[in-house]
Amino acid sequence: EIVLTQSPGTLSLSPGERATLSCRASQSVSSNLLAWYQQQPGQAPRLLIYGASRRATGIPDRFSGSGSGTDFTLTISRLEPEDFAVYYCQQYGNSRTFGQGTKVEIK
Amino acid sequence: EVQLVQSGAEVKKPGESLKISCKGSGYTFTNYWIAWVRQMPGKGLEWMGIIYPRDSDTRYRPSFQGQVTISADRSISTAYLQWSNLKASDTAMYYCARPSAGLDDAFDIWGQGTMVTVSS
């Protein structure tokens, strides 16, 4: 099973700042089949990025994904108040696994 | 509108059985896989397994194999997650989710979640 390790565990930032979240896989992710999800408290997750770098429908362009192989990054260019949430990466190229999550909190 | 609507919260005792549901609408139910995801209180997301309603092809994550049963009734566009012997450690929020196209796709549609509480 591919293990995904997200860092940092918590990111404390102010609105308007740039957020950089990391997701590292224990082995290469097949065809860069990696997604990012956002989860607000009390809500279901929402798909942000798929295929490592493709934005899902309706996702603002301040969200971007990059990376390949074992190292992937989610960048939020300028944090809006609604972006403070927990973010999960998921690989879906070899069965499926999720990372443990990164919480982006208001500083 | 494409959506997955899950059954309501459940409170059960250890040893009891339970079946929760996830009804798809706004799309052809038999053309898409449906997955189940567990989220224990205050914890992250765990993929449990996935089913293809057209032929009931089912895949389980090894750690959930034998612990739960995933099924589907295509006549009513509904997928199920079932336990025969609940434990306190099954207390969690359970989400159903749909890959956007085939088996190897990200989950673009999620149900609202079903909270299962197991307590004596």
Side-chain angles (χ1 to χ4, degrees):
Chain A
E1 181 175 281
I2 296 178
V3 176
L4 299 179
T5 302
Q6 292 186 239
S7 61
T10 302
L11 200 49
S12 298
L13 295 168
S14 300
E17 289 193 294
R18 181 184 187 90
T20 303
L21 287 66
S22 173
C23 177
R24 178 162 290 177
S26 60
Q27 56 187 278
S28 185
V29 175
S30 173
S31 303
N32 293 332
L33 295 179
L34 186 114
W36 290 92
Y37 299 87
Q38 177 194 68
Q39 188 177 33
Q40 298 284 3
Q43 295 186 19
R46 176 175 71 142
L47 178 65
L48 300 175
I49 301 287
Y50 65 98
S53 61
R54 300 178 181 182
R55 270 188 301 276
T57 303
I59 301 304
D61 60 7
R62 63 180 182 273
F63 291 92
S64 63
S66 63
S68 64
T70 60
D71 288 298
F72 299 87
T73 300
L74 174 70
T75 302
I76 311 171
S77 59
R78 287 200 322 274
L79 284 164
E80 297 287 341
E82 62 268 27
D83 299 337
F84 292 91
V86 179
Y87 293 84
Y88 295 94
C89 59
Q90 178 207 34
Q91 68 80 23
Y92 50 100
N94 183 339
S95 186
R96 294 169 189 275
T97 46
F98 288 94
Q100 83 279 17
T102 290
K103 181 179 182 180
V104 178
E105 65 175 22
I106 299 177
K107 187 174 182 180
Chain B
E1 179 193 4
V2 175
Q3 58 179 348
L4 298 173
V5 178
Q6 299 185 229
S7 50
E10 301 274 1
V11 180
K12 295 295 221 180
K13 291 182 166 40
E16 292 186 331
S17 62
L18 176 64
K19 193 174 190 178
I20 62 174
S21 67
C22 169
K23 183 174 177 60
S25 63
Y27 71 99
T28 303
F29 186 72
T30 51
N31 286 356
Y32 293 83
W33 294 77
I34 293 283
W36 287 95
V37 175
R38 183 175 77 175
Q39 188 168 39
M40 300 176 77
K43 302 298 184 183
L45 305 170
E46 300 174 272
W47 177 73
M48 301 174 70
I50 195 165
I51 187 166
Y52 191 54
R54 176 168 294 187
D55 60 6
S56 292
D57 182 3
T58 308
R59 322 281 176 90
Y60 292 93
R61 187 177 181 182
S63 56
F64 288 96
Q65 181 88 46
Q67 307 306 307
V68 296
T69 301
I70 294 171
S71 61
D73 184 340
R74 58 189 185 185
S75 69
I76 54 172
S77 301
T78 300
Y80 300 97
L81 179 64
Q82 182 175 1
W83 296 260
S84 60
N85 181 14
L86 283 163
K87 306 176 184 61
S89 57
D90 293 316
T91 295
M93 180 71 81
Y94 293 88
Y95 294 101
C96 60
R98 192 200 78 168
S100 59
L103 176 61
D104 295 328
D105 266 300
F107 299 146
D108 67 337
I109 304 294
W110 291 71
Q112 83 277 20
T114 295
M115 184 67 207
V116 174
T117 303
V118 183
S119 174
S120 54

